[in-house]
Every structure is written in structure tokens, then in C-alpha cells.
Amino acid sequence: MKLEPDEVKAITTRLKRANGHLASVIRMLEDGSECEDALTQLAAVNKAISRGGYALVATGLQKCLAEEGPDSVDAKKMEKLFLALA
């Protein structure tokens, strides 16, 4: 299923922000920052990416349910998508 740009705007914004934070973590490591500081920021990046993935799956599910009804949802496929993020 293809989502419309307005349906994924918040998700792409979140992922772009995470991308910027990841670049900061890389710079921190290259500049010799404390490991604890870099790990704290890396954990935040990881969480932001995970939330973006879950939001993407949820948005797709909502669209699928709205357009095609509850019988259109493939439970095994949805499980596979969620587990891919775990």
C-alpha cells in the first residue's frame, strides 16, 4: 500500500530529525566525546527511529481499514511488519 505524502509527513519529519541526531552522534564519536554522552544520544536516535517505524505501520493499518475494511487486513503480514521493528 502506498501512503500519500500528507499521511506520512509527521513520520518523515521524525525520521529526518533522527537522521540529524545520528549525524551528531557520529561527530561526537569522531571528536572524542565521552562514551556515556554518545550512548545516551544514540539511544534517543534508536527510539526515534523505532517510533517512526511503528507510526508508519499504524498509519498504513488505519488507511487499509478505512479504505478496504477489517477483512482486508492480513494478520500474518501485520505481525511480520511489527516483528521486523522489534
Side-chain angles (χ1 to χ4, degrees):
M1 163 180 313
K2 185 171 172 78
L3 300 175
E4 298 300 320
D6 63 317
E7 294 174 311
V8 295
K9 184 173 171 69
I11 299 167
T12 57
T13 299
R14 179 188 301 265
L15 293 175
K16 286 178 183 179
R17 193 175 311 123
N19 186 37
H21 285 298
L22 180 58
S24 295
V25 172
I26 293 169
R27 269 194 309 279
M28 289 173 73
L29 292 171
E30 291 173 342
D31 293 344
S33 295
E34 293 291 325
C35 290
E36 184 178 350
D37 296 336
L39 283 172
T40 299
Q41 291 303 313
L42 190 57
V45 170
N46 189 31
K47 189 171 186 177
I49 292 170
S50 293
R51 286 184 179 208
Y54 288 124
L56 182 57
V57 171
T59 301
L61 180 58
Q62 289 172 353
K63 182 173 183 170
C64 185
L65 289 172
E67 291 180 358
E68 301 172 26
D71 293 336
S72 67
V73 177
D74 181 342
K76 287 290 185 193
K77 185 175 184 180
M78 291 306 301
E79 180 182 7
K80 183 178 179 182
L81 289 171
F82 275 108
L83 290 176
L85 296 171

Coordinates of all heavy atoms in Angstrom, one line a residue:
M1 N 0.8 -1.2 0.0 CA 0.0 0.0 0.0 C 0.9 1.2 0.0 O 1.9 1.3 0.7 CB -0.9 0.0 1.2 CG -1.5 1.3 1.5 SD -2.5 1.3 3.0 CE -3.5 -0.1 2.7
K2 N 0.5 2.2 -0.8 CA 1.3 3.4 -0.9 C 0.5 4.5 -0.2 O -0.7 4.7 -0.3 CB 1.4 3.8 -2.4 CG 2.3 5.0 -2.6 CD 2.6 5.2 -4.1 CE 3.3 6.5 -4.3 NZ 4.6 6.5 -4.0
L3 N 1.2 5.2 0.7 CA 0.6 6.3 1.5 C 0.9 7.6 0.8 O 1.9 7.8 0.1 CB 1.2 6.3 2.9 CG 1.1 5.0 3.7 CD1 1.8 5.1 5.0 CD2 -0.4 4.7 4.0
E4 N 0.0 8.5 1.0 CA 0.1 9.8 0.5 C 1.0 10.7 1.3 O 1.2 10.4 2.5 CB -1.3 10.5 0.5 CG -2.4 9.8 -0.3 CD -2.0 9.7 -1.8 OE1 -1.4 10.7 -2.4 OE2 -2.2 8.6 -2.4
P5 N 1.7 11.7 0.7 CA 2.7 12.5 1.4 C 2.1 13.1 2.7 O 2.8 13.2 3.7 CB 3.0 13.6 0.4 CG 2.8 12.9 -1.0 CD 1.6 12.0 -0.8
D6 N 0.9 13.6 2.7 CA 0.3 14.2 3.9 C 0.1 13.2 5.0 O 0.1 13.5 6.2 CB -1.0 14.9 3.6 CG -2.1 14.0 3.1 OD1 -1.8 13.1 2.2 OD2 -3.3 14.2 3.5
E7 N 0.0 11.9 4.6 CA -0.2 10.8 5.6 C 1.1 10.5 6.3 O 1.1 9.9 7.4 CB -0.8 9.6 5.0 CG -2.2 9.7 4.4 CD -2.7 8.5 3.7 OE1 -2.0 8.0 2.8 OE2 -3.8 8.1 3.9
V8 N 2.2 10.8 5.7 CA 3.5 10.4 6.3 C 4.4 11.6 6.7 O 5.5 11.4 7.1 CB 4.3 9.4 5.4 CG1 3.6 8.1 5.2 CG2 4.5 10.1 4.0
K9 N 3.8 12.8 6.6 CA 4.6 14.0 6.9 C 5.2 14.0 8.3 O 6.4 14.2 8.4 CB 3.7 15.2 6.7 CG 4.5 16.5 6.9 CD 3.7 17.7 6.5 CE 4.3 19.0 6.9 NZ 5.4 19.5 6.2
A10 N 4.4 13.7 9.3 CA 4.9 13.6 10.7 C 6.0 12.5 10.8 O 7.0 12.7 11.5 CB 3.8 13.4 11.6
I11 N 5.8 11.4 10.1 CA 6.8 10.3 10.2 C 8.1 10.7 9.6 O 9.2 10.5 10.1 CB 6.2 9.1 9.6 CG1 4.9 8.6 10.3 CG2 7.2 7.9 9.6 CD1 4.1 7.6 9.6
T12 N 8.0 11.3 8.4 CA 9.3 11.7 7.7 C 10.0 12.8 8.5 O 11.2 12.8 8.6 CB 9.0 12.2 6.3 OG1 8.1 13.2 6.2 CG2 8.5 11.0 5.4
T13 N 9.2 13.7 9.1 CA 9.8 14.8 9.9 C 10.6 14.1 11.1 O 11.7 14.5 11.4 CB 8.7 15.7 10.5 OG1 8.1 16.4 9.3 CG2 9.3 16.8 11.4
R14 N 9.9 13.1 11.8 CA 10.6 12.4 12.9 C 11.8 11.7 12.4 O 12.9 11.8 13.1 CB 9.6 11.4 13.5 CG 10.1 10.6 14.6 CD 9.2 9.5 15.0 NE 7.9 10.0 15.4 CZ 7.5 10.2 16.7 NH1 8.3 10.0 17.6 NH2 6.3 10.6 16.9
L15 N 11.8 11.1 11.3 CA 13.0 10.3 10.8 C 14.1 11.3 10.4 O 15.3 11.0 10.6 CB 12.6 9.4 9.7 CG 11.7 8.2 10.2 CD1 11.2 7.4 9.0 CD2 12.4 7.3 11.2
K16 N 13.7 12.4 9.8 CA 14.7 13.4 9.4 C 15.4 13.9 10.7 O 16.7 14.2 10.7 CB 14.1 14.5 8.6 CG 13.8 14.1 7.2 CD 13.1 15.3 6.4 CE 12.7 14.8 5.0 NZ 12.0 15.9 4.3
R17 N 14.6 14.2 11.7 CA 15.2 14.7 13.0 C 16.2 13.6 13.5 O 17.3 13.9 14.0 CB 14.1 15.0 14.0 CG 14.6 15.7 15.2 CD 13.4 16.2 16.1 NE 12.3 16.8 15.4 CZ 11.1 16.3 15.5 NH1 10.8 15.3 16.2 NH2 10.1 16.9 14.8
A18 N 15.8 12.3 13.5 CA 16.6 11.2 14.0 C 17.9 11.2 13.1 O 19.0 10.9 13.7 CB 15.9 9.9 13.9
N19 N 17.8 11.4 11.9 CA 19.0 11.4 11.0 C 19.9 12.5 11.4 O 21.2 12.2 11.5 CB 18.5 11.6 9.5 CG 19.6 11.4 8.5 OD1 20.5 10.6 8.7 ND2 19.6 12.2 7.5
G20 N 19.4 13.6 11.7 CA 20.3 14.7 12.2 C 21.0 14.4 13.5 O 22.1 14.7 13.7
H21 N 20.2 13.8 14.4 CA 20.8 13.3 15.7 C 21.8 12.3 15.5 O 22.9 12.3 16.2 CB 19.7 12.8 16.6 CG 18.8 13.9 17.2 ND1 19.3 14.9 18.0 CD2 17.5 14.2 17.1 CE1 18.4 15.7 18.4 NE2 17.2 15.3 17.8
L22 N 21.6 11.4 14.6 CA 22.6 10.3 14.3 C 23.9 11.0 13.8 O 25.0 10.6 14.2 CB 22.1 9.3 13.3 CG 23.1 8.2 12.9 CD1 23.5 7.4 14.2 CD2 22.4 7.2 11.9
A23 N 23.8 11.9 12.9 CA 25.0 12.6 12.4 C 25.7 13.3 13.6 O 27.0 13.3 13.7 CB 24.6 13.7 11.4
S24 N 25.0 13.8 14.6 CA 25.6 14.4 15.8 C 26.3 13.4 16.6 O 27.4 13.6 17.1 CB 24.5 15.1 16.6 OG 23.9 16.2 16.0
V25 N 25.7 12.2 16.7 CA 26.4 11.1 17.5 C 27.7 10.7 16.8 O 28.7 10.5 17.5 CB 25.5 9.9 17.6 CG1 26.2 8.7 18.2 CG2 24.2 10.2 18.4
I26 N 27.7 10.6 15.5 CA 28.9 10.3 14.7 C 30.0 11.3 15.0 O 31.1 11.0 15.2 CB 28.6 10.1 13.2 CG1 27.7 8.8 13.1 CG2 29.9 10.0 12.4 CD1 27.1 8.7 11.7
R27 N 29.6 12.6 14.9 CA 30.5 13.7 15.2 C 31.1 13.6 16.6 O 32.3 13.8 16.8 CB 29.8 15.1 14.9 CG 30.0 15.6 13.5 CD 29.6 17.1 13.5 NE 28.3 17.4 14.0 CZ 27.1 17.2 13.4 NH1 27.1 16.7 12.2 NH2 26.0 17.6 14.0
M28 N 30.2 13.3 17.5 CA 30.6 13.2 18.9 C 31.7 12.1 19.0 O 32.7 12.3 19.7 CB 29.4 12.8 19.8 CG 28.4 13.9 20.1 SD 27.0 13.3 21.0 CE 27.7 13.1 22.6
L29 N 31.5 11.0 18.4 CA 32.5 9.9 18.5 C 33.8 10.3 17.8 O 34.9 10.0 18.3 CB 31.9 8.6 17.8 CG 30.8 8.0 18.6 CD1 30.1 6.9 17.8 CD2 31.2 7.5 20.0
E30 N 33.7 10.9 16.6 CA 34.9 11.4 15.9 C 35.7 12.4 16.7 O 36.9 12.5 16.6 CB 34.5 11.9 14.5 CG 34.0 10.8 13.6 CD 33.5 11.3 12.3 OE1 33.2 12.5 12.2 OE2 33.4 10.5 11.4
D31 N 34.9 13.2 17.5 CA 35.6 14.3 18.2 C 36.1 13.9 19.6 O 36.6 14.6 20.4 CB 34.6 15.5 18.4 CG 34.3 16.2 17.1 OD1 35.0 16.0 16.1 OD2 33.3 17.0 17.1
G32 N 35.8 12.6 19.9 CA 36.3 12.0 21.2 C 35.5 12.3 22.4 O 36.0 12.4 23.5
S33 N 34.2 12.5 22.2 CA 33.3 12.8 23.3 C 33.2 11.6 24.2 O 33.6 10.5 23.9 CB 31.9 13.1 22.8 OG 31.9 14.3 22.1
E34 N 32.7 11.8 25.4 CA 32.5 10.7 26.4 C 31.6 9.7 25.8 O 30.5 10.0 25.2 CB 31.9 11.3 27.7 CG 32.9 12.2 28.4 CD 34.1 11.4 29.0 OE1 33.9 10.3 29.4 OE2 35.2 12.0 29.0
C35 N 31.9 8.4 26.1 CA 31.0 7.3 25.6 C 29.6 7.4 26.1 O 28.7 7.1 25.4 CB 31.6 6.0 26.0 SG 33.1 5.5 25.2
E36 N 29.5 7.8 27.4 CA 28.2 7.9 28.0 C 27.3 8.9 27.3 O 26.1 8.6 27.1 CB 28.3 8.3 29.5 CG 27.0 8.3 30.2 CD 27.2 8.6 31.7 OE1 28.3 8.7 32.2 OE2 26.1 8.9 32.3
D37 N 27.9 10.0 26.9 CA 27.1 11.0 26.2 C 26.7 10.5 24.8 O 25.5 10.7 24.4 CB 27.9 12.3 26.1 CG 28.2 13.0 27.4 OD1 27.5 12.7 28.4 OD2 29.2 13.7 27.5
A38 N 27.6 9.9 24.1 CA 27.3 9.4 22.8 C 26.2 8.3 22.9 O 25.3 8.2 22.1 CB 28.5 8.8 22.1
L39 N 26.3 7.4 23.9 CA 25.4 6.3 24.0 C 24.0 6.8 24.4 O 23.0 6.3 23.9 CB 25.8 5.3 25.1 CG 26.9 4.4 24.6 CD1 27.4 3.6 25.8 CD2 26.4 3.4 23.6
T40 N 23.9 7.9 25.2 CA 22.6 8.5 25.5 C 22.0 9.0 24.3 O 20.8 8.8 24.1 CB 22.8 9.6 26.6 OG1 23.4 9.1 27.8 CG2 21.5 10.3 26.9
Q41 N 22.7 9.7 23.5 CA 22.2 10.3 22.2 C 21.8 9.2 21.2 O 20.8 9.2 20.5 CB 23.2 11.2 21.6 CG 23.4 12.5 22.4 CD 22.0 13.2 22.6 OE1 21.3 13.4 21.6 NE2 21.8 13.6 23.8
L42 N 22.6 8.1 21.2 CA 22.3 7.0 20.3 C 21.1 6.3 20.7 O 20.3 5.9 19.8 CB 23.5 6.0 20.3 CG 23.5 4.9 19.2 CD1 23.4 5.5 17.8 CD2 24.7 4.1 19.3
A43 N 20.8 6.2 22.0 CA 19.6 5.6 22.5 C 18.4 6.4 22.0 O 17.3 5.9 21.6 CB 19.6 5.4 24.0
A44 N 18.5 7.7 22.1 CA 17.4 8.6 21.6 C 17.2 8.5 20.1 O 16.0 8.4 19.7 CB 17.8 10.1 22.0
V45 N 18.2 8.3 19.4 CA 18.1 8.1 17.9 C 17.4 6.8 17.7 O 16.4 6.7 16.9 CB 19.5 8.1 17.2 CG1 19.3 7.6 15.8 CG2 20.1 9.5 17.3
N46 N 17.8 5.7 18.4 CA 17.2 4.4 18.2 C 15.7 4.5 18.5 O 14.8 3.9 17.8 CB 17.9 3.4 19.1 CG 17.5 2.0 18.8 OD1 17.1 1.6 17.7 ND2 17.5 1.2 19.9
K47 N 15.3 5.2 19.6 CA 13.9 5.3 20.0 C 13.1 6.0 18.9 O 12.0 5.7 18.6 CB 13.8 5.9 21.4 CG 12.4 5.9 21.9 CD 12.4 6.4 23.4 CE 11.1 6.2 24.0 NZ 11.1 6.6 25.4
A48 N 13.7 7.1 18.4 CA 13.0 7.9 17.4 C 12.8 7.1 16.1 O 11.7 7.2 15.5 CB 13.8 9.2 17.1
I49 N 13.7 6.3 15.7 CA 13.6 5.5 14.5 C 12.5 4.5 14.8 O 11.6 4.2 13.9 CB 14.9 4.9 14.1 CG1 15.9 6.0 13.6 CG2 14.7 3.8 13.0 CD1 17.3 5.5 13.4
S50 N 12.5 3.8 15.9 CA 11.5 2.8 16.2 C 10.1 3.4 16.2 O 9.2 2.8 15.7 CB 11.8 2.2 17.6 OG 13.0 1.4 17.5
R51 N 10.0 4.5 16.9 CA 8.7 5.2 16.9 C 8.2 5.6 15.5 O 7.0 5.5 15.2 CB 8.7 6.4 17.8 CG 8.7 6.0 19.3 CD 8.6 7.2 20.1 NE 8.6 6.8 21.5 CZ 8.1 7.5 22.5 NH1 7.5 8.7 22.2 NH2 8.1 7.1 23.7
G52 N 9.1 6.0 14.7 CA 8.8 6.3 13.3 C 8.3 5.1 12.5 O 7.3 5.1 11.8
G53 N 8.9 3.9 12.8 CA 8.5 2.7 12.2 C 7.1 2.2 12.6 O 6.3 1.9 11.8
Y54 N 6.9 2.3 13.9 CA 5.6 2.0 14.5 C 4.5 2.9 13.9 O 3.4 2.5 13.6 CB 5.6 1.9 16.0 CG 6.4 0.8 16.6 CD1 7.4 1.0 17.4 CD2 6.0 -0.5 16.2 CE1 8.1 -0.1 18.0 CE2 6.7 -1.6 16.7 CZ 7.8 -1.4 17.6 OH 8.5 -2.4 18.1
A55 N 4.8 4.2 13.8 CA 3.9 5.1 13.3 C 3.6 4.8 11.9 O 2.4 5.0 11.4 CB 4.4 6.6 13.5
L56 N 4.6 4.4 11.1 CA 4.4 4.1 9.7 C 3.4 2.9 9.6 O 2.5 2.9 8.8 CB 5.7 3.8 9.0 CG 5.7 3.4 7.6 CD1 5.0 4.5 6.7 CD2 7.1 3.2 7.1
V57 N 3.7 1.8 10.4 CA 2.8 0.6 10.3 C 1.4 1.0 10.8 O 0.4 0.6 10.1 CB 3.3 -0.5 11.2 CG1 2.3 -1.6 11.4 CG2 4.6 -1.0 10.7
A58 N 1.2 1.8 11.8 CA -0.1 2.2 12.3 C -0.8 3.1 11.2 O -2.0 2.9 11.0 CB 0.0 3.0 13.6
T59 N -0.1 3.9 10.6 CA -0.7 4.8 9.5 C -1.2 3.9 8.4 O -2.3 4.1 7.9 CB 0.3 5.8 9.0 OG1 0.7 6.6 10.1 CG2 -0.4 6.7 7.9
G60 N -0.4 2.9 8.0 CA -0.8 2.0 6.9 C -2.0 1.2 7.3 O -2.9 1.0 6.5
L61 N -2.0 0.7 8.5 CA -3.1 -0.1 9.0 C -4.4 0.7 9.0 O -5.5 0.3 8.6 CB -2.8 -0.6 10.4 CG -3.9 -1.5 11.1 CD1 -4.3 -2.7 10.2 CD2 -3.5 -1.9 12.4
Q62 N -4.3 2.0 9.5 CA -5.5 2.8 9.5 C -6.1 3.1 8.1 O -7.3 3.0 7.9 CB -5.2 4.2 10.2 CG -5.0 4.1 11.7 CD -4.4 5.4 12.3 OE1 -4.1 6.3 11.5 NE2 -4.3 5.4 13.6
K63 N -5.2 3.3 7.2 CA -5.6 3.5 5.8 C -6.2 2.3 5.2 O -7.3 2.4 4.6 CB -4.4 4.0 4.9 CG -4.8 4.3 3.5 CD -3.7 4.9 2.7 CE -4.2 5.2 1.3 NZ -3.2 6.0 0.6
C64 N -5.6 1.2 5.5 CA -6.2 -0.1 5.0 C -7.6 -0.3 5.6 O -8.5 -0.7 4.8 CB -5.2 -1.2 5.4 SG -5.7 -2.8 4.7
L65 N -7.7 -0.1 6.8 CA -9.0 -0.3 7.5 C -10.1 0.6 7.0 O -11.2 0.3 6.7 CB -8.9 -0.2 9.0 CG -8.2 -1.4 9.7 CD1 -8.0 -1.0 11.2 CD2 -9.0 -2.6 9.6
A66 N -9.7 1.9 6.7 CA -10.6 2.9 6.3 C -11.0 2.7 4.8 O -12.2 2.9 4.5 CB -10.0 4.3 6.4
E67 N -10.1 2.2 4.0 CA -10.4 2.1 2.6 C -11.0 0.7 2.2 O -11.8 0.6 1.3 CB -9.2 2.4 1.8 CG -8.7 3.8 1.8 CD -7.5 4.1 1.0 OE1 -6.9 3.1 0.4 OE2 -7.1 5.2 0.9
E68 N -10.5 -0.3 2.9 CA -10.9 -1.7 2.4 C -11.6 -2.5 3.5 O -12.1 -3.6 3.2 CB -9.6 -2.4 2.0 CG -8.8 -1.7 0.9 CD -7.5 -2.3 0.6 OE1 -7.3 -3.5 0.8 OE2 -6.6 -1.5 0.1
G69 N -11.7 -2.0 4.7 CA -12.5 -2.7 5.7 C -11.6 -3.7 6.5 O -10.5 -4.0 6.1
P70 N -12.2 -4.1 7.7 CA -11.4 -5.0 8.5 C -11.0 -6.3 7.9 O -10.0 -6.9 8.3 CB -12.4 -5.3 9.7 CG -13.4 -4.2 9.6 CD -13.4 -3.8 8.2
D71 N -11.8 -6.8 7.0 CA -11.5 -8.1 6.4 C -10.2 -8.1 5.4 O -9.7 -9.1 5.0 CB -12.7 -8.7 5.6 CG -13.8 -9.0 6.5 OD1 -13.5 -9.3 7.7 OD2 -15.0 -9.0 6.1
S72 N -9.8 -6.8 5.1 CA -8.7 -6.7 4.2 C -7.4 -6.8 4.9 O -6.3 -6.9 4.2 CB -8.8 -5.3 3.5 OG -8.6 -4.3 4.5
V73 N -7.3 -6.8 6.2 CA -6.1 -6.9 7.0 C -5.6 -8.3 7.1 O -6.3 -9.2 7.5 CB -6.3 -6.3 8.4 CG1 -5.0 -6.4 9.2 CG2 -6.7 -4.8 8.3
D74 N -4.4 -8.5 6.6 CA -3.7 -9.8 6.7 C -2.9 -9.8 8.0 O -1.9 -9.2 8.2 CB -2.8 -9.9 5.5 CG -2.0 -11.3 5.4 OD1 -2.0 -12.0 6.5 OD2 -1.5 -11.6 4.4
A75 N -3.5 -10.6 9.0 CA -2.9 -10.6 10.3 C -1.5 -11.1 10.3 O -0.6 -10.5 11.0 CB -3.8 -11.5 11.2
K76 N -1.1 -12.1 9.5 CA 0.2 -12.6 9.5 C 1.2 -11.5 8.9 O 2.3 -11.4 9.4 CB 0.3 -13.8 8.6 CG -0.3 -15.1 9.3 CD 0.6 -15.5 10.4 CE 0.0 -16.8 11.0 NZ 0.7 -17.1 12.3
K77 N 0.7 -10.8 7.9 CA 1.6 -9.8 7.3 C 1.8 -8.6 8.3 O 2.9 -8.1 8.5 CB 0.9 -9.2 6.1 CG 1.8 -8.2 5.3 CD 1.1 -7.8 4.0 CE 1.9 -6.9 3.2 NZ 1.3 -6.5 2.0
M78 N 0.8 -8.2 9.1 CA 0.9 -7.2 10.1 C 1.8 -7.7 11.2 O 2.7 -6.9 11.6 CB -0.5 -6.9 10.7 CG -1.4 -6.1 9.7 SD -0.7 -4.7 9.0 CE -0.3 -3.7 10.4
E79 N 1.7 -8.9 11.6 CA 2.6 -9.4 12.6 C 4.1 -9.4 12.1 O 5.0 -9.0 12.9 CB 2.2 -10.9 13.0 CG 3.1 -11.5 14.0 CD 2.8 -12.9 14.3 OE1 1.9 -13.5 13.6 OE2 3.4 -13.5 15.3
K80 N 4.3 -9.7 10.9 CA 5.6 -9.7 10.3 C 6.2 -8.3 10.3 O 7.4 -8.1 10.6 CB 5.6 -10.3 8.9 CG 7.0 -10.4 8.3 CD 6.9 -11.0 6.9 CE 8.2 -11.1 6.2 NZ 8.2 -11.7 4.9
L81 N 5.3 -7.3 10.0 CA 5.8 -5.9 9.9 C 6.2 -5.5 11.3 O 7.2 -4.8 11.5 CB 4.7 -5.0 9.3 CG 4.5 -5.2 7.8 CD1 3.2 -4.4 7.4 CD2 5.7 -4.8 7.0
F82 N 5.3 -5.7 12.3 CA 5.6 -5.3 13.7 C 6.9 -6.0 14.2 O 7.7 -5.4 14.8 CB 4.5 -5.6 14.6 CG 3.5 -4.5 14.6 CD1 2.2 -4.6 14.0 CD2 3.7 -3.3 15.2 CE1 1.3 -3.6 14.0 CE2 2.8 -2.2 15.2 CZ 1.6 -2.4 14.6
L83 N 7.0 -7.3 13.9 CA 8.2 -8.0 14.4 C 9.5 -7.6 13.7 O 10.6 -7.7 14.3 CB 8.0 -9.5 14.2 CG 7.0 -10.2 15.2 CD1 6.8 -11.6 14.8 CD2 7.3 -10.0 16.6
A84 N 9.4 -7.0 12.5 CA 10.6 -6.5 11.8 C 11.1 -5.3 12.6 O 12.3 -5.0 12.5 CB 10.2 -6.1 10.4
L85 N 10.3 -4.6 13.3 CA 10.7 -3.5 14.1 C 11.2 -3.8 15.5 O 11.8 -3.0 16.1 CB 9.5 -2.5 14.2 CG 9.0 -1.9 12.9 CD1 7.7 -1.1 13.2 CD2 10.1 -1.0 12.3
A86 N 11.0 -5.0 15.9 CA 11.4 -5.4 17.2 C 12.9 -5.7 17.4 O 13.6 -6.0 16.4 CB 10.6 -6.7 17.7

